[in-house]
Amino acid sequence: MKSWKFNTAAFQEHEQGQAWCDAMYRLCLPVGNLPDKAGFRGEIICINSPLGMEFALVDAEPHEISGRYLKQDAAIWLTLLLDGEASLSYDDQRLDLAPGDIVYGPTYVKAVLRFTRDFRQLFVKVQELILNPRVFAPLSLNLGHLPARSGINHVFSGMLQSLAEVIEDVSPEQLRPVEMALTEFLITGLGDEKSVFGLGGVSGARAHHLQRICQRIETLLSEPELTIGMVAQAEGVSTRYLQRLFTQAGNSFIHYLRTRRLERCRADLASPLHDELSISEICFRWGFNGSAHFSRAFRKEYGMSPREYRRQQVEERAQ
């Protein structure tokens, strides 16, 4: 699990402001302005989960995070105010935040997050790849607000606050249930954002059931012997009903499973976090039975071999 820490105390006073901007840029959070004074206090603790969610605890003096960072992957971000005062401005609207409140939205959308006193904030970035089984069009999502005192949002906020308190001590295995719960909370919190669910002809209870089935499949991708019968049994439905759900969404179980495995493999091949893994290790990691079969499927899907794709990604990172 990749993790890193940053503290402006490690820099000379005249270097602290720029060092902070650089560290926030690493989180894809452009700093709009800093206090007009010498020196700046700020600390970041960042961890990445096994599925690739990014959690960053930011503790700093008041300043502004604004603009948008275009050189990042498609994702949904959410942020939780732990301590301090903040407001979010977007599309001529202003939203005042209280400790415990959560706001969310897609990357690339321009917004301004303004802190008026010392603050602690948890930022979470969920890659589109992770949400794909449940939210098929995440970038059509609007900015949203989950008030801490409102129903299930209170539970969601409490979970994130607890994570922030122990962020330095959690292991990858311990983050697994957090990943699953966070996805479920976020999906629930999307509420009436119907445009982000690309489920074709599936609607109502069937759409909800298909979303749940896709999430279960996501947790079982590494099982090479995974079958539609196993998933149907786990969900308490017939294989015929399960396949019909996929058909109504313009897909099939086999195609969906293969596509998700290929997407996971492609993400690992492109990620510097997995440079030490061989192509065979990556394909076995996501449930393929053999590297030859994986290579053929990968070339058919993406027009190049896994080795060619990895080399291309390495060259692009070096530019």
Side-chain angles (χ1 to χ4, degrees):
M1 179 176 61
K2 184 179 79 170
S3 63
W4 56 278
K5 299 180 182 179
F6 172 88
N7 196 320
T8 55
F11 295 83
Q12 296 292 325
E13 189 175 84
H14 70 277
E15 300 174 325
Q16 291 174 350
Q18 185 58 53
W20 180 253
C21 292
D22 293 342
M24 293 291 279
Y25 197 72
R26 185 175 177 181
L27 293 175
C28 303
L29 296 172
V31 174
N33 59 49
L34 292 176
D36 186 16
K37 65 180 183 63
F40 183 81
R41 184 196 65 80
E43 182 179 1
I44 297 171
I45 302 172
C46 181
I47 62 174
N48 283 75
S49 73
L51 285 182
M53 292 186 187
E54 183 178 76
F55 300 86
L57 178 62
V58 176
D59 185 339
E61 293 184 57
H63 66 288
E64 185 179 284
I65 300 171
S66 64
R68 50 184 173 177
Y69 179 60
L70 298 177
K71 295 181 181 179
Q72 61 178 313
D73 297 329
I76 289 177
W77 57 264
L78 59 92
T79 183
L80 165 74
L81 181 62
L82 296 163
D83 297 301
E85 296 177 348
S87 64
L88 180 71
S89 301
Y90 61 97
D91 294 338
D92 297 323
Q93 300 183 56
R94 175 188 163 113
L95 179 66
D96 291 322
L97 304 178
D101 284 358
I102 298 170
V103 290
Y104 63 83
T107 51
Y108 312 127
V109 172
K110 187 174 183 178
V112 176
L113 188 57
R114 186 174 292 108
F115 299 95
T116 54
R117 61 184 178 90
D118 288 4
F119 69 93
R120 292 174 65 247
Q121 186 91 1
L122 181 69
F123 292 92
V124 183
K125 185 164 63 176
V126 186
Q127 298 294 337
E128 180 183 12
L129 178 68
I130 300 171
L131 287 171
N132 184 277
R134 305 292 298 278
V135 183
F136 288 77
L139 296 189
S140 66
L141 182 68
N142 297 312
L143 290 173
H145 176 220
L146 304 177
R149 297 181 180 180
S150 176
I152 197 65
N153 298 340
H154 183 69
V155 181
F156 188 16
S157 176
M159 183 191 76
L160 293 178
Q161 290 180 60
S162 297
L163 175 62
E165 292 174 2
V166 298
I167 194 168
E168 294 186 88
D169 303 319
V170 293
S171 68
E173 293 74 21
Q174 292 168 333
L175 274 179
R176 283 288 188 184
V178 175
E179 292 174 317
M180 301 302 299
L182 189 149
T183 303
E184 293 298 321
F185 276 124
L186 185 56
I187 295 298
T188 301
L190 294 180
D192 295 328
E193 294 272 3
K194 303 302 183 184
S195 63
V196 302
F197 295 97
L199 296 176
V202 184
S203 59
R206 287 178 300 168
H208 177 76
H209 202 182
L210 179 58
Q211 293 162 17
R212 193 177 70 195
I213 288 168
C214 288
Q215 187 67 15
R216 182 181 291 275
I217 292 172
E218 195 72 9
T219 66
L220 299 172
L221 288 177
S222 61
E223 298 292 335
E225 305 303 323
L226 183 62
T227 65
I228 188 172
M230 293 168 59
V231 177
Q233 183 178 17
E235 288 293 319
V237 299
S238 69
T239 56
R240 179 176 296 181
Y241 171 77
L242 195 153
Q243 187 60 68
R244 187 163 64 247
L245 286 180
F246 278 100
T247 300
Q248 291 171 339
N251 210 328
S252 71
F253 174 82
I254 295 298
H255 180 265
Y256 178 84
L257 179 61
R258 182 176 64 250
T259 299
R260 290 301 297 158
R261 282 174 168 164
L262 286 170
E263 288 173 345
R264 283 294 187 180
C265 289
R266 184 173 68 159
D268 282 1
L269 290 168
S271 172
L273 298 178
H274 300 103
D275 282 347
E276 75 283 359
L277 296 180
S278 69
I279 291 174
S280 294
E281 287 173 323
I282 288 175
C283 81
F284 290 133
R285 180 184 181 188
W286 293 112
F288 284 96
N289 283 311
S291 55
H293 167 65
F294 165 65
S295 294
R296 288 193 297 271
F298 192 94
R299 181 181 290 276
K300 182 177 180 180
E301 184 74 17
Y302 303 116
M304 65 181 70
S305 71
R307 191 174 304 280
E308 291 169 336
Y309 179 76
R310 171 175 263 182
R311 186 185 305 116
Q312 179 189 80
Q313 296 304 305
V314 170
E315 291 173 351
E316 289 181 0
R317 292 204 304 265
Q319 292 176 357

